[in-house]
Amino acid sequence: MERAFQVDLRGIVDLLSRHLYASPRVYVRELLQNAVDAITARRALDGGAPAVVSIEPSEVTGDGTLRMHDSGIGLSESEVHELLATIGRSSKRDDLGLARHEFLGQFGIGLLSCFLVADEVRVTTRSARGGPTVEWTGLADGRYRVAPAERERAEPGTTVTLRPVPDMAQWLTGAMVHDLVTSYGDALPVEVSIAGRRVNSGVLPWQRGYPSPAARAEALRAYAERVFGFAPFDVIDLAVPEAGLTGLAFVLPVAAHPTARSGHRVYLRRMLLADGVDTLLPEWAFFVRCVVDTGELRPTASREALYEDDLLADTREALGGQVRDWLVRLAATDPARLRQFLMIHHLGVKALALHDVEMLRVVDRWWPMETDAGPMTLAEFRRRHPVVRHTATSDEFRALAAVAAAQNLGLVNGGYAYDIEIMRRLPLLDPSITVRGLDPAELATRFEPLDPVLEARIRPFLAVAAETLRSLGCAVVPRCFDPPVLPALYLRSRAAAQAEEMREARSAAGDLWSGVLGAVDATEAADVPQFILNLRNPVVRRLAEAPDPALASLGVQALYGQALLAGHHPLRPEDSAMLNRSFLALLDRAMGGRGAQ
């Protein structure tokens, strides 16, 4: 047996009017929307019909109410019963339930937003198709009544009267209504007046006529300062015909955080939809703020965001492409200004370069990376070095940059956001480009081995050094390399790092997994860190030839600790203990003691 749903009308009114909308301010937007749609419908029948919305705030009415009059098509009594008394029923959808694109509203619930500020809503309306004036009165508790109006309207149209909830009366005052009307309806193509004075311009800022390009640029910069609070670095014109979209993108003059979603100002057929729409552009375009008007993108039911569908996805891609094309044009026509832009917004451009070859080309040619020879673009770096080598972290770069530069190895700091990914994409520009991460052990192969005579002379010292560091799992390697001011270098190859991680995992694992990991660890036993002593350094040379083995051991311990610190390597407890012991013992010797280890 079929039954009808039981609907608590008071609950539905409360749900839609108090929970669908984010703020009471939207009531003005919804009233304006209904008025403009009514005028649009009337003009479809009579192109010469007036297009006027007149608002009387509470100071003008004198009884605390607000009245909004429009010269729209109005409603007949049957339409009042059908449309105003049925939540979700709208005259702005066709018989298939599809939204008619020339209207702003489509959900049949906009009038309920008035209950955010009023406990009584009265609609007095006369249809342009004929018939008497009808009055519909709705109450916040869900009741309504329909009756002939006490006074006939002289012209077709509608008057909405709001009687405020006692603590919401401030929302119906002239100052508040003026702010809301100029915010939501400044660009509407109808005359909107408050207390007899027109308050809207009726045009979007990029659609105004300007006497010159310079005047337009100045006016748009002033608009950005007023709306967004900044003078833009540049202004980009936007257009997506498929979405009926036109507008502007204002480039931020200061850096923005890449994870901060950009809030864009979106108009729907020249009615402000929202100021904080964050789904209009791709995430990488966080360095622009947009103002757009669209005729085809769909709003959500609350009309405070855009409905996520294929058209919005295509529009987002198209707008991202136009921002990207602006960057390409800037690179071609004004390199100095592009460099200025990149100094501010390089993160956004680098993020885009991960997906776009043209942006990769811009970064390759114009953005200076940190290299062992100083700031340098990747294009310039490749002219000097056939292989693009990069470190995995900034700490590794700082530890190895001077040594790499002295060996003319060529090294790029890969520790900054997106840099490694960008370098790995360089073969897309030229398949002959070789990119690889630097294995620190590779540096040792570039160092000069010792002269056999010198090596034989310092063999006792090398034996002392090897014995001193044996418990730390570190091999002592004597070499000669530049710069001479660097006494020692601690290098841990990728394989050595993996082997050490495996040993740590083995010690933390249970018996079963410890055996499995032990088998794997055994295969990596030869991969140990290297402590490379630089015999070109005067201090190391004197230490190596010193006759006192105890002093030699202390010196090796101190140099080992200094190499760990200089290379930003983590100190294990045993490393810290050795560093402390050697420091205190050397200090004791300097003061005349024996320097016991």
Side-chain angles (χ1 to χ4, degrees):
M1 181 174 62
E2 292 184 352
R3 296 181 181 272
F5 284 106
Q6 299 299 308
V7 178
D8 181 353
L9 194 54
R10 182 187 300 218
I12 293 296
V13 169
D14 180 73
L15 173 66
L16 294 179
S17 66
R18 300 186 187 278
H19 301 285
L20 179 66
Y21 300 105
S23 166
R25 62 185 286 118
V26 300
Y27 87 92
V28 167
R29 183 193 65 197
E30 297 300 327
L31 288 179
L32 284 174
Q33 167 214 293
N34 287 341
V36 172
D37 285 344
I39 291 171
T40 301
R42 184 176 178 188
R43 285 199 152 186
L45 298 177
D46 176 7
V52 177
V53 178
S54 176
I55 304 172
E56 299 175 23
S58 57
E59 296 94 331
V60 175
T61 62
D63 59 3
T65 64
L66 175 140
R67 289 195 287 268
M68 181 180 290
H69 313 275
D70 69 64
S71 59
I73 195 169
L75 299 173
S76 66
E77 182 174 356
S78 62
E79 289 171 333
V80 167
H81 283 285
E82 179 184 7
L83 300 174
L84 297 186
T86 306
I87 295 174
R89 181 79 170 100
S90 175
S91 63
K92 302 157 192 173
R93 287 196 291 262
D94 59 26
D95 292 339
L96 296 177
L98 303 175
R100 292 167 59 184
H101 74 277
E102 67 267 27
F103 291 131
L104 296 170
Q106 56 184 272
F107 297 101
I109 57 176
L111 193 63
L112 292 175
S113 66
C114 295
F115 288 110
L116 291 168
V117 297
D119 55 14
E120 178 183 294
V121 178
R122 185 165 67 251
V123 179
T124 306
T125 182
R126 176 185 165 188
S127 175
R129 300 185 181 91
T133 302
V134 181
E135 187 170 275
W136 175 94
T137 303
L139 304 176
D141 61 9
R143 294 176 294 127
Y144 75 92
R145 59 180 178 268
V146 179
E150 294 181 2
R151 303 169 67 177
E152 284 289 324
R153 284 181 61 98
E155 294 290 334
T158 299
T159 297
V160 179
T161 303
L162 305 183
R163 186 172 301 279
V165 176
D167 59 351
M168 303 296 282
Q170 74 275 12
W171 289 96
L172 309 188
T173 61
M176 178 65 73
V177 173
H178 181 274
D179 287 345
L180 297 179
V181 168
T182 52
S183 175
Y184 286 115
D186 181 67
L188 287 174
V190 302
E191 178 184 327
V192 182
S193 65
I194 299 176
R197 185 172 65 89
R198 180 165 184 170
V199 295
N200 70 320
S201 66
V203 64
L204 291 160
W206 57 93
Q207 296 174 340
R208 292 190 175 100
Y210 296 98
S212 67
R216 181 180 189 267
E218 182 59 32
L220 295 182
R221 279 172 169 76
Y223 174 82
E225 286 187 304
R226 186 171 69 255
V227 172
F228 294 115
F230 63 82
F233 177 86
D234 207 347
V235 181
I236 308 168
D237 284 287
L238 305 173
V240 183
E242 297 83 358
L245 183 146
T246 61
L248 303 167
F250 297 100
V251 182
L252 288 166
V254 294
H257 197 283
T259 61
R261 298 302 298 268
S262 302
H264 306 291
R265 189 175 180 91
V266 176
Y267 289 84
L268 180 62
R269 301 178 195 93
R270 294 162 66 171
M271 168 76 80
L272 179 65
L273 184 74
D275 276 318
V277 177
D278 61 4
T279 58
L280 187 65
L281 261 68
E283 291 186 6
W284 58 260
F286 57 82
F287 52 84
V288 298
R289 297 291 183 271
C290 294
V291 180
V292 301
D293 178 58
T294 176
E296 300 297 333
L297 294 178
R298 297 166 56 193
T300 57
S302 66
R303 293 175 50 78
E304 295 173 354
L306 292 172
Y307 184 78
E308 190 68 47
D309 58 10
D310 290 342
L311 180 58
L312 178 57
D314 292 343
T315 300
R316 184 161 48 235
E317 182 176 353
L319 293 176
Q322 291 173 32
V323 174
R324 169 257 199 200
D325 290 345
W326 168 79
L327 283 167
V328 173
R329 287 195 304 273
L330 201 62
T333 61
D334 197 344
R337 189 159 172 77
L338 175 69
R339 292 190 189 96
Q340 184 183 358
F341 169 82
L342 289 176
M343 291 303 295
I344 302 171
H345 297 300
H346 57 277
L347 280 178
V349 177
K350 290 199 290 185
L352 177 56
L354 301 185
H355 312 285
D356 186 278
V357 174
E358 284 304 314
M359 281 299 98
L360 179 63
R361 204 179 306 277
V362 168
V363 172
D364 175 58
R365 183 178 178 187
W366 298 108
W367 176 245
M369 299 280 195
E370 185 178 6
T371 77
D372 58 353
M376 188 183 305
T377 66
L378 289 172
E380 182 182 357
F381 183 88
R382 294 201 313 278
R383 286 193 290 270
R384 300 188 183 189
H385 302 285
V387 177
V388 179
R389 291 181 177 86
H390 61 81
T391 61
T393 66
S394 292
D395 282 345
E396 187 177 64
F397 176 82
R398 285 191 285 269
L400 303 179
V403 180
Q407 318 311 312
N408 196 31
L409 187 64
L411 191 60
V412 182
N413 186 354
Y416 295 108
Y418 307 123
D419 282 5
I420 290 179
E421 294 89 339
I422 286 172
M423 286 184 274
R424 288 174 179 170
R425 284 174 57 83
L426 288 177
L428 294 176
L429 304 181
D430 181 354
S432 66
I433 297 174
T434 301
V435 179
R436 68 168 182 257
L438 175 72
D439 190 326
E442 184 180 357
L443 279 174
T445 64
R446 301 253 174 167
F447 297 158
E448 180 183 331
L450 296 188
D451 174 77
V453 175
L454 174 62
E455 186 172 9
R457 191 164 68 245
I458 66 171
R459 190 169 293 147
F461 165 75
L462 295 178
V464 170
E467 181 62 29
T468 299
L469 300 183
R470 188 184 308 280
S471 63
L472 300 179
C474 181
V476 178
V477 180
R479 288 290 185 270
C480 294
F481 60 89
D482 292 327
V485 295
L486 187 67
L489 196 62
Y490 182 88
L491 295 180
R492 188 172 66 160
S493 68
R494 301 280 181 248
Q498 292 172 359
E500 185 172 339
E501 291 172 1
M502 188 70 70
R503 287 190 288 273
E504 291 175 355
R506 179 185 176 187
S507 64
D511 293 339
L512 173 62
W513 288 108
S514 179
V516 174
L517 295 174
V520 177
D521 187 32
T523 65
E524 306 290 342
D527 294 315
V528 296
Q530 294 180 321
F531 177 58
I532 301 178
L533 287 165
N534 185 7
L535 269 298
R536 282 188 185 157
N537 180 270
V539 173
V540 175
R541 188 71 170 262
R542 287 199 299 271
L543 183 66
E545 296 179 347
D548 185 351
L551 177 61
S553 178
L554 288 175
V556 167
Q557 294 176 47
L559 290 173
Y560 173 81
Q562 187 267 345
L564 288 177
L565 294 174
H568 302 275
H569 298 286
L571 293 180
R572 299 168 297 178
E574 55 268 35
D575 297 329
S576 298
M578 176 175 285
L579 182 61
N580 289 334
R581 285 197 307 270
S582 63
F583 174 77
L584 293 175
L586 289 172
L587 186 62
D588 183 56
R589 275 186 174 245
M591 293 186 294
R594 298 180 56 190
Q597 298 181 49

